Amino acid sequence: MSETFRAILISRDEARNQSVDIVEMTPDQLMDGDVDVAVEATTVNYKDGLAITGKAPVVRRWPLIPGIDLAGTVITSAHPDWQPGDRVILNGWGVGETHHGAYAGRARLRGEWLVALPERFTAMEAMAIGTAGYTAMLSVMALERAGMTPDSGPVVVTGAAGGVGSVAVALLAGLGWHVVASTGRPGEADWLRDLGAAEIIDRSELSEPGKPLGKERWAAGIDAVGSHTLANVLAATSYGGVVACCGLAQGMDLPASVAPFILRGVSLLGIDSVMAPKQRRVEAWGRLARDLDAARLGAITTEIGFDAIVDTAKAIVEGRIRGRVVVDMQA
Ligand code: NDP
């Protein structure tokens, strides 16, 4: 097929200097896969920011179209589960890392990576959720599987004004939890309260080196930040509490002690969205369709067009993006 489409392409020269260009491509330049999808909406996650700025080794093959999330319509399929016209979502699986990704008019993917777009959502709404929101849902589901309920006590969400954090605040509040939102942006306190946060704390309370154990402040946590913040969240988790660890915005380290685990029976659960099995993805998207309030999702979302992706990628790495950014690929 000779039809062309726009794409963002990350290249690397012999000196390993990275460049990012907007190019025209044809379908025969895409990588192997059995389903072609017309990309209608995508998003800019923190990980996409790292890929485009080159600040962390997210991209591991060059040249590569970045973008880890997309929603769109199947154009052609050789996979038994999908027919032309089907509405689908893709999150992760190495797309935008080692396989050409979402920042293009067309994507060629493997059928087993795709999830049906829940009827409740448009492509734009699904991407307003994106990997960040689906990871927030995986984190909530992990807390629930560990027996945590709103009756267990408060839940803390770190990086609350970011993508994972803001969806987690909205979801947990909708499910009836008392949400403590930790943020470094006091100017977003009213916005976080509107999303359902019951209390706002300054992230500086958690981001400095702390004691192995502190006052018990919450029964559960969703941490998108890592490093000292996660260590301090664990140290303030009450007896038998559970914390889901899903991010590293402060750092990949975990300068903690075993005290919360062996003296308070606290559990730390790891959350990975990229290689999560299909059954869990389908469950997470079903729960998002059921549990995420439409008005709260709207309040989290900012819309941009294709041409603004690269600048937005820089902004998200600098912590300047509130909530979730959705990209209208037709704009
Ligand atoms: P965002 O940039 O949207 O949000 C991150 C938030 O973390 C910021 O908004 C800020 O919140 C807070 N933050 C940033 N820098 C620091 C710092 N130095 N110290 C303390 N807090 C900080 O990113 P996402 O929500 O998209 O992703 C959050 C994290 O989760 C990332 O590390 C990402 O890689 C990870 N992730 C992991 C996934 C998985 O599969 N496990 C999937 C998706 C994301 P505030 O302004 O409120 O302080």
Side-chain angles (χ1 to χ4, degrees), residues 146-327:
M148 294 285 110
T149 71
D151 291 338
S152 306
V155 59
V156 65
V157 175
T158 63
V164 174
S166 56
V167 179
V169 168
L171 276 171
L172 290 163
L175 291 166
W177 286 81
H178 179 99
V179 180
V180 180
S182 167
T183 182
R185 290 184 263 182
E188 303 298 357
D190 286 344
W191 177 75
L192 285 165
R193 278 195 197 91
D194 288 346
L195 290 184
E199 293 175 52
I200 313 290
I201 62 171
D202 194 288
R203 79 183 190 199
S204 62
E205 284 186 38
L206 299 173
S207 58
E208 300 300 320
K211 295 183 184 152
L213 275 186
K215 184 170 166 268
E216 298 180 31
R217 299 175 73 180
W218 35 72
I222 294 182
D223 177 62
V225 172
S227 192
H228 293 294
T229 299
L230 177 54
N232 288 319
V233 163
L234 290 166
T237 300
S238 55
Y239 195 91
V242 181
V243 176
C245 156
C246 64
L248 44 68
Q250 183 179 13
M252 210 183 217
D253 56 332
L254 178 52
S257 86
V258 297
F261 309 119
I262 64 170
L263 298 176
R264 287 190 183 152
V266 167
S267 299
L268 179 59
L269 308 176
I271 306 298
D272 169 59
S273 66
V274 180
M275 303 307 284
K278 177 148 181 181
Q279 191 190 351
R280 188 148 292 168
R281 294 166 184 260
V282 171
E283 185 189 347
W285 278 100
R287 286 285 308 271
L288 285 158
R290 193 186 83 189
D291 295 338
L292 187 56
D293 180 80
R296 285 186 173 129
L297 179 60
I300 288 169
T301 309
T302 307
E303 273 184 41
I304 62 168
F306 180 86
D307 291 335
I309 291 174
V310 173
D311 284 345
T312 304
K314 292 175 186 154
I316 199 166
V317 171
E318 290 164 10
R320 291 191 282 117
I321 299 296
R322 179 178 89 170
R324 297 278 304 135
V325 172
V326 60
V327 183

